[in-house]
Amino acid sequence: MPSLVHHPLDPDSRLVRLMCAEYGVPLDLEEIKPWLREEALLVINPAATLPILFTETDQPVVGIMATIHAVEDLYSPETIEGLVPADVMARAEMWRLVEWVLVKLNEEVTRYLIEEKIAKRDIRGATPEPAVLRAAKTNLAEHLLYFNYLLASRRWLGGDEMSLADFALAAHFSTLDYMGDIDWSKVPSETRDWYSRIKSRPAFRTLLNDRVVAMPPSKGYADLDF
């Protein structure tokens, strides 16, 4: 059975978990706090980033892009359509949006909120910086406008079919939702409907059961009707 070194609220790890759950691949999970930069992690990945996937080989798969491709190559079932479109242009749009989420959304929103709300809990005397939280929330509002613009004319984020782009965005939304950083009452209906559909997939149950010690999820995090 493959195993994944992860943190429950790391969105990249959540994306890999969603992919494996969608493809029916069970995972052994090993939780770690990458910001502590423990020696065991640095030996495998000097960049101290997650996820790290161990397959049947002796070589670990390190980093989100390598892991995405490994999961798709090794575990995508032949009997169902995978998360990467066969059409060239559909695939190009999917990768554009995956990059938007994994790089732009992460660097402008998710990374800051995790650092302030989660990582600082392990630093004695550290408290979240209000200015950083406000900036991340402002950036999130702009991203939500763009995602809703797309979803107003598409069934899924990248087009008519669900793809890896949807799972990437759902992984980040689920992290932000756990921490209470999305006010769903103010999110347009197209985005709410999209998240409700993807949140209702069986693959998503693996995330809805997550709990972080001394930090319960926001109200409604595990509810399918929100």
Side-chain angles (χ1 to χ4, degrees), residues 20 22 35 50 61 64 117 121 141 149 155 159 182 198 202:
C20 288
E22 182 74 10
W35 51 84
L50 298 175
V61 181
I64 183 56
K117 291 189 169 186
R121 298 167 74 206
Y149 163 77
R155 175 168 172 76
I182 299 180
I198 201 164

Side-chain angles (χ1 to χ4, degrees), residues 13-203:
S13 300
R14 287 184 155 226
L15 171 54
V16 174
R17 292 169 61 196
L18 282 172
M19 291 182 70
C20 288
E22 182 74 10
Y23 291 161
V25 179
L27 285 173
D28 281 332
L29 298 176
E30 178 184 346
E31 183 175 334
I32 195 171
K33 297 178 179 179
W35 51 84
L36 296 181
R37 299 182 62 85
E38 296 174 343
E39 183 178 358
L41 172 61
L42 296 177
V43 168
I44 301 172
N45 181 15
T49 58
L50 298 175
I52 300 172
L53 178 69
F54 290 89
T55 63
E56 290 73 16
T57 69
D58 295 330
Q59 180 179 347
V61 181
V62 178
I64 183 56
M65 294 307 298
T67 308
I68 284 173
H69 286 287
V71 170
E72 190 68 20
D73 290 343
L74 293 173
Y75 304 125
S76 177
E78 296 181 357
T79 55
I80 64 172
E81 186 173 355
L83 295 168
V84 177
D87 178 77
V88 172
M89 299 311 295
R91 190 163 64 248
E93 176 67 350
M94 181 214 74
W95 283 121
R96 180 185 77 85
L97 292 167
V98 168
E99 181 180 7
W100 184 294
V101 172
L102 299 187
V103 179
K104 188 173 176 62
L105 178 64
N106 185 64
E107 290 300 311
E108 295 178 0
V109 179
T110 316
R111 178 174 70 87
Y112 288 114
L113 293 173
I114 290 177
E115 288 175 354
E116 295 297 318
K117 291 189 169 186
I118 306 298
K120 279 191 173 181
R121 298 167 74 206
D122 291 314
I123 303 174
R124 184 183 296 275
T127 57
E129 176 56 54
V132 175
L133 296 177
R134 286 195 299 271
K137 292 288 187 67
T138 299
N139 291 341
L140 175 59
E142 294 298 318
H143 282 277
L144 286 170
L145 287 174
Y146 180 61
F147 295 137
N148 200 75
Y149 163 77
L150 294 176
L151 291 165
S153 60
R154 304 172 174 183
R155 175 168 172 76
W156 297 98
L157 188 63
D160 292 333
E161 302 295 333
M162 187 185 70
S163 72
L164 187 65
D166 296 285
F167 273 28
L169 183 56
H172 276 259
F173 272 16
S174 66
T175 292
L176 298 171
D177 192 26
Y178 187 102
M179 296 187 293
D181 290 307
I182 299 180
D183 183 352
W184 290 108
S185 67
K186 298 180 180 179
V187 175
S189 60
E190 291 87 352
T191 300
R192 287 202 314 271
D193 291 345
W194 166 85
Y195 191 58
S196 179
R197 279 186 281 123
I198 201 164
K199 189 178 182 181
S200 298
R201 297 186 70 81

